[in-house]
Amino acid sequence: MALAQTTEKAESRAVELSIDGKTRIFDIDNPELPEWIDDEAFASDDYPYKKKLDEEEYLETLEALQVELVKVQLWQQKTGKRMMALFEGRDAAGKGGAIQATLSNLNPRWARIVALTKPTETERGQWYFQRYVATMPTAGEFVLFDRSWYNRAGVEPVMGFCTPEQYKQFLKQAPRFEKMIVHEDIQFFKFWINVGREMQLKRFHDRRHDPLKIWKLSPMDIAALNKWDDYTAKRNEMLKATHTDHAPWTVVRGNDKRRARLNLIRHILTALDYDGKDKGAIGEVDDKIVGSGPGFLK
């Protein structure tokens, strides 16, 4: 009832979008999804498949991969190996779901999520990377970052939350910072989950009209609706400047969350040499879904 009252009082948030040379009107408060979004969402950004992976196949494969992840955790506890994975992407790309699929059957005492809020006044006065260092893994631990220090390469410069000088300095410092992580013998993964524009709009609309998901839709999401090209430019600059031999970017096409999650987990498992590894259960990473660095995206 509170949601309905809020909807009645809210002003229209219809925006005019320019997409592929066409002017489109998108009103996120209208419960009816525009036909052009519904028609174009799955294929947006040249997605290579026509439909979602079958749910039964997805769940069966996911369970097999999660068994392998449990083996990885036991191996970590035995060897003390530390692991980190950061998940980046536009809003509604599927970062949170991919993290949950990875962690859902692991012991939470040894696998945790880091999702930092905006910095405090004290943190704003510190070295930019300082608050992230405090969250890094101890022996035997797997830490997954739901967004990371790469806020300074995307949302901050696009929305004006940092200066141009801070942005440029970040692009220079990040590869050096990550070299220290790798030299510390921490297994380090960086994932960019990519989503097409129409698919992002569809997911925003789904969140707006699902009372269980509406908390995921933030004022920042609405403010960014007309900044797609700005975010694309910053994404490309980020990938170019921070894709290195010691800390490469793994790009995952995310229009189908099922394929994205399975292949992201496969990528992690393929990179590790753990006890009892079952290559048959892991399978092959789909090179239509997963690629390396800026060259994988148009």
Side-chain angles (χ1 to χ4, degrees):
M1 188 67 171
L3 176 61
Q5 292 172 348
T6 301
T7 303
E8 290 175 2
K9 295 178 181 178
E11 295 181 3
S12 173
R13 291 184 287 182
V15 293
E16 188 175 284
L17 305 175
S18 177
I19 302 178
D20 295 330
K22 300 176 182 178
T23 299
R24 304 285 202 178
I25 303 298
F26 177 57
D27 183 357
I28 197 166
D29 293 322
N30 185 338
E32 185 175 342
L33 181 68
E35 186 175 336
W36 60 271
I37 294 180
D38 199 33
D39 290 344
E40 300 171 21
F42 198 79
S44 58
D45 198 42
D46 296 326
Y47 194 73
Y49 290 97
K50 301 292 186 183
K51 60 181 181 178
K52 288 195 297 186
L53 184 67
D54 176 75
E55 183 177 17
E56 184 176 348
E57 180 182 352
Y58 165 68
L59 293 174
E60 182 179 343
T61 306
L62 180 61
E63 182 176 359
L65 295 175
Q66 289 174 335
V67 168
E68 294 299 302
L69 286 169
V70 171
K71 294 179 186 177
V72 168
Q73 188 171 60
L74 294 173
W75 166 75
Q76 283 188 263
Q77 292 169 351
K78 178 181 176 182
T79 62
K81 185 68 176 178
R82 293 169 291 175
M83 289 174 47
M84 287 173 52
L86 59 84
F87 292 70
E88 290 289 346
R90 301 180 196 262
D91 293 313
K95 300 179 293 297
I99 290 170
Q100 289 299 332
T102 304
L103 293 187
S104 61
N105 286 287
L106 299 183
N107 183 341
R109 294 183 179 180
W110 296 98
R112 58 184 168 88
I113 301 169
V114 172
L116 299 184
T117 58
K118 66 181 182 179
T120 64
E121 184 176 351
T122 297
E123 289 169 336
R124 286 196 296 271
Q126 297 172 343
W127 176 45
Y128 177 73
F129 296 96
Q130 187 167 335
R131 69 187 190 130
Y132 294 101
V133 173
T135 67
M136 289 185 181
T138 189
E141 197 175 28
F142 187 13
V143 177
L144 292 89
F145 288 80
D146 188 347
R147 295 199 180 278
S148 67
W149 46 91
Y150 280 100
N151 282 333
R152 181 141 291 180
V155 64
E156 289 191 17
V158 170
M159 302 304 292
F161 298 153
C162 69
T163 67
E165 291 74 20
Q166 288 172 325
Y167 168 68
K168 291 176 183 177
Q169 184 180 45
F170 172 83
L171 292 182
K172 292 179 180 178
Q173 288 186 347
R176 300 171 190 168
F177 174 63
E178 290 165 5
K179 182 171 285 189
M180 289 190 288
I181 293 172
V182 175
H183 283 183
E184 184 60 21
D185 197 29
I186 296 174
Q187 184 76 44
F188 182 44
F189 299 94
K190 295 194 304 189
F191 294 107
W192 174 267
I193 303 180
N194 209 60
V195 65
R197 190 172 192 185
E198 289 85 353
M199 180 57 80
Q200 185 194 51
L201 293 173
K202 183 179 186 303
R203 291 177 183 173
F204 280 170
H205 188 271
D206 291 346
R207 291 176 176 185
R208 170 64 185 86
H209 298 283
D210 184 337
L212 296 178
K213 296 181 179 179
I214 194 168
W215 63 270
K216 294 184 177 183
L217 188 69
S218 71
M220 191 72 67
D221 296 332
I222 306 302
L225 284 175
N226 274 312
K227 296 183 180 293
W228 178 271
D229 291 341
D230 295 331
Y231 274 102
T232 298
K234 288 295 184 284
R235 176 202 69 187
N236 293 346
E237 289 180 35
M238 178 195 76
L239 292 176
K240 182 179 179 180
T242 63
H243 177 67
T244 61
D245 290 339
H246 59 271
W249 278 103
T250 299
V251 179
V252 182
R253 294 190 184 278
N255 282 8
D256 180 1
K257 294 180 181 180
R258 295 171 183 172
R259 286 188 173 92
R261 293 168 187 171
L262 295 182
N263 284 284
L264 186 152
I265 295 171
R266 282 188 178 117
H267 176 84
I268 293 173
L269 295 171
T270 299
L272 302 174
D273 185 18
Y274 57 92
D275 296 339
K277 183 173 182 176
D278 185 344
K279 294 182 179 179
I282 297 170
E284 297 293 328
V285 176
D286 186 343
D287 61 9
K288 294 180 181 178
I289 299 299
V290 175
S292 182
F296 190 60
L297 298 174
K298 65 178 183 178

